[in-house]
């Protein structure tokens, strides 16, 4: 039976998963979204300072008048994540197609802006014009940004590869030639965006808003459910057990949605409301997986040596030496704890946040290499740090009998 399962996974499931992960659009999506991370990391530093989990520090910042400047940085980083994503995705798609990519990124940015409203009605019924509504340039516009970025990247690359461009004579500087090469696909894409804007404007909405309500909001609801976190953990660990990078697969599917959940939580804080589930805070965000860590104890000499070599990397959440060195990959003894431990921890954390034992995650992000307990304190204060200690204990208890065997 076990051989049949191995054969089915290796012959049917794993090749299809790898084929999906290596699709042009998925590769561009994963690479393009990464361009948002530096801004979010920098914004998190200023957000953490302005919302430091120690009241005297926050009071001091308010007294010296620096809260406004800190909020400016946070707004200018978190609230343009969709813009950065659409540029990054279009750029990455074109780059992977080996055509000049920068123009694709700019075209993605322009097409995204065209689909947004350029005016807004204030509470006093006054019309403000020439604006960019940052409601839709952050998490709520993320799926729209992904779709536009992929379409722009694909159309732009197709035009250039087929030679459907304005070709300049030899001797013209490369940057000038590249600019003219982008004219034909640019006209097509921008004209198409204008038509789409007009169609949705007649319906009283915009493309980005329609995508959010029809696609993104329901999908975010799924990722934020108990079923979603179980599915996330199970898919990632099962593929890892077969030696495939499970993180790449689940990130390609769910990464952008979890990032949208994160920025939605930050928007609640920006509005002056308390970050609670009752106020609409998402439980499962991009940082949710940052609270997971596995520890291993064993008596065998081989595993003791491996433990010494992998101890420092494991502190910083680099677990490949353990996964491939123990090995966990294709190890029948460790399949159950490897799959069940993160799933159990995910369920417990979901319940802890849902019942108010641990606060939801704000917009603060930390590098994935930040050690456990430290990351917990930065992400959610002392309660999150205590939760990580408990998670560590549960992980040890789950693994110990299997590692001993």
């Amino acid at each position: 039976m076990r051989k049949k399962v191995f054969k089915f996974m290796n012959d049917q499931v794993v090749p299809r998963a790898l084929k999906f992960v290596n699709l042009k659009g998925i590769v561009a999506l994963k690479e393009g979204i990464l361009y948002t991370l530096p801004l979010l990391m920098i914004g998190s530093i200023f957000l953490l300072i302005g919302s430091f989990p120690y009241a005297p520090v926050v009071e001091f910042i308010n007294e010296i008048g620096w809260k406004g400047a800190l909020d400016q940085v946070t707004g200018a980083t978190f609230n343009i994540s969709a813009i950065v994503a659409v540029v990054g995705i279009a750029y990455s798609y074109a780059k992977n197609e080996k055509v000049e990519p920068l123009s694709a990124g700019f075209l993605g940015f322009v097409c995204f802006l065209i689909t947004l409203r350029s005016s807004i009605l204030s509470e006093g019924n006054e019309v403000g014009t020439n604006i960019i509504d940052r409601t839709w340039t952050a998490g709520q516009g993320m799926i729209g940004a992904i779709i536009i970025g992929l379409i722009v990247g694909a159309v732009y690359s197709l035009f250039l590869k087929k030679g459907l461009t304005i070709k300049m004579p030899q001797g013209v500087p490369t940057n000038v030639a590249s600019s003219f090469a982008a004219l034909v696909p640019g006209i097509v894409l921008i004209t198409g965006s204008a038509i789409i804007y007009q169609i949705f404007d007649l319906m009283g909405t915009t493309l980005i808003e329609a995508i959010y309500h029809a696609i993104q909001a329901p999908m975010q609801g799924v990722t934020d459910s108990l079923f979603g976190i179980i599915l996330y953990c199970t898919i990632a660990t099962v593929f890892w057990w077969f030696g495939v990078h499970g993180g790449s697969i689940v990130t390609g599917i769910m990464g952008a949605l979890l990032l949208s959940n994160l920025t939605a939580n930050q928007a609640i804080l920006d509005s002056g409301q308390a970050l609670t589930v009752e106020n609409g805070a998402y439980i499962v965000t991009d940082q949710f997986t940052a609270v997971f860590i596995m520890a291993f104890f064993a008596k065998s000499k081989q595993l003791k040596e491996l433990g010494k070599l992998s101890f420092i990397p494991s502190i910083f959440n680099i677990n490949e030496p353990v996964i491939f060195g123990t090995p966990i990959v294709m190890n029948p003894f460790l399949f159950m704890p490897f799959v069940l431990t993160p799933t159990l921890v995910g369920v417990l954390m979901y319940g802890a946040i849902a019942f108010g034992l641990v606060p939801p995650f704000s917009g603060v992000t930390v590098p994935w290499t930040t050690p456990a307990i430290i990351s917990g304190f930065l992400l959610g204060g002392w309660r999150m740090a205590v939760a990580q200690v408990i998670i560590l204990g549960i992980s040890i208890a789950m693994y110990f009998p299997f590692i001993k065997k």
Side-chain angles (χ1 to χ4, degrees):
M1 180 64 182
R2 186 161 65 91
K3 289 183 178 180
K4 289 182 178 180
V5 173
F6 283 1
K7 181 173 176 56
F8 174 75
M9 288 295 292
N10 286 323
D11 293 346
Q12 302 295 328
V13 179
V14 171
R16 284 179 169 80
L18 289 175
K19 187 177 181 180
F20 171 78
V21 170
N22 291 317
L23 288 172
K24 293 178 181 179
I26 298 300
V27 172
L29 169 59
K30 289 189 296 182
E31 293 179 355
I33 287 289
L34 286 177
Y35 287 103
T36 66
L37 293 184
L39 287 179
L40 293 178
M41 291 289 184
I42 295 168
S44 293
I45 295 172
F46 287 84
L47 175 61
L48 184 60
I49 295 171
S51 307
F52 199 78
Y54 184 57
V57 174
V58 177
E59 291 172 3
F60 173 73
I61 291 171
N62 288 329
E63 287 174 3
I64 63 175
W66 271 87
K67 185 67 167 66
L70 296 173
D71 290 343
Q72 277 289 94
V73 175
T74 303
T77 50
F78 281 91
N79 292 344
I80 64 164
S81 56
I83 289 178
V84 178
V86 72
V87 174
I89 292 168
Y91 176 90
S92 297
Y93 198 110
K95 182 181 178 182
N96 292 337
E97 288 290 274
K98 301 189 181 340
V99 296
E100 198 283 313
L102 191 57
S103 294
F106 287 145
L107 283 173
F109 173 57
V110 171
C111 291
F112 182 76
L113 286 186
I114 290 172
T115 63
L116 298 176
R117 298 185 192 278
S118 59
S119 62
I120 191 170
L121 190 65
S122 68
E123 293 181 1
N125 290 325
E126 294 182 359
V127 178
T129 58
N130 295 323
I131 60 97
I132 297 176
D133 188 353
R134 288 197 291 186
T135 302
W136 303 104
T137 60
Q140 288 186 201
M142 187 60 71
I143 297 301
I146 289 171
I147 293 172
I148 291 172
L150 291 174
I151 292 173
V152 169
V155 172
Y156 172 85
S157 300
L158 178 65
F159 270 69
L160 264 65
K161 293 183 80 170
K162 294 291 185 180
L164 303 174
T165 63
I166 297 176
K167 297 179 181 178
M168 301 299 290
Q170 288 186 351
V172 174
T174 303
N175 59 333
V176 175
S178 298
S179 299
F180 276 90
L183 278 176
V184 175
I187 290 171
V188 172
L189 288 165
I190 289 173
T191 302
S193 300
I195 294 171
I196 289 171
Y197 170 82
Q198 184 63 27
I199 292 171
F200 280 92
D201 187 55
L202 292 172
M203 295 187 291
T205 185
T206 67
L207 173 66
I208 303 301
E209 292 174 46
I211 289 173
Y212 174 77
H213 292 296
I215 301 175
Q216 182 169 336
M219 290 176 69
Q220 283 184 250
V222 172
T223 63
D224 197 49
S225 65
L226 191 59
F227 168 77
I229 193 60
I230 291 173
L231 192 66
Y232 184 101
C233 295
T234 303
I235 291 174
T237 50
V238 167
F239 277 105
W240 263 120
W241 191 76
F242 279 92
V244 180
H245 200 302
S248 294
I249 294 173
V250 293
T251 300
I253 300 170
M254 299 175 66
L257 294 170
L258 297 181
L259 183 60
S260 297
N261 292 354
L262 179 155
T263 54
N265 281 5
Q266 184 55 39
I268 293 174
L269 288 175
D270 293 341
S271 69
Q273 300 181 70
L275 187 62
T276 63
V277 175
E278 290 74 20
N279 285 339
Y282 287 96
I283 294 174
V284 184
T285 67
D286 194 48
Q287 314 102 315
F288 193 90
T289 56
V291 301
F292 301 154
I293 189 172
M294 289 181 284
F296 301 86
F297 289 91
K299 291 184 178 180
S300 84
K301 186 174 181 180
Q302 174 190 338
L303 294 185
K304 277 187 176 181
E305 291 303 313
L306 177 65
K308 292 176 185 177
L309 293 172
S310 62
F311 179 72
I312 298 298
S314 293
I315 288 178
F316 296 96
N317 303 320
I318 301 170
N319 293 318
E320 279 82 354
V322 173
I323 291 173
F324 292 101
T326 306
I328 290 177
V329 172
M330 304 295 280
N331 187 330
F333 285 110
L334 297 180
F335 177 79
M336 285 186 63
F338 187 63
V339 174
L340 293 180
T341 299
T343 303
L344 174 62
V345 168
V347 170
L348 292 175
M349 281 300 303
Y350 187 95
I353 296 174
F355 289 105
L357 300 177
V358 176
F361 295 100
S362 68
V364 174
T365 60
V366 296
W368 62 272
T369 51
T370 305
I373 303 174
I374 295 175
S375 65
F377 180 77
L378 294 175
L379 290 172
W382 67 268
R383 285 188 291 171
M384 189 67 74
V386 170
Q388 284 189 323
V389 172
I390 295 172
I391 286 170
L392 186 60
I394 292 172
S395 300
I396 293 170
M398 289 283 287
Y399 269 94
F400 185 76
F402 294 94
I403 286 288
K404 187 176 181 181
K405 180 66 177 176

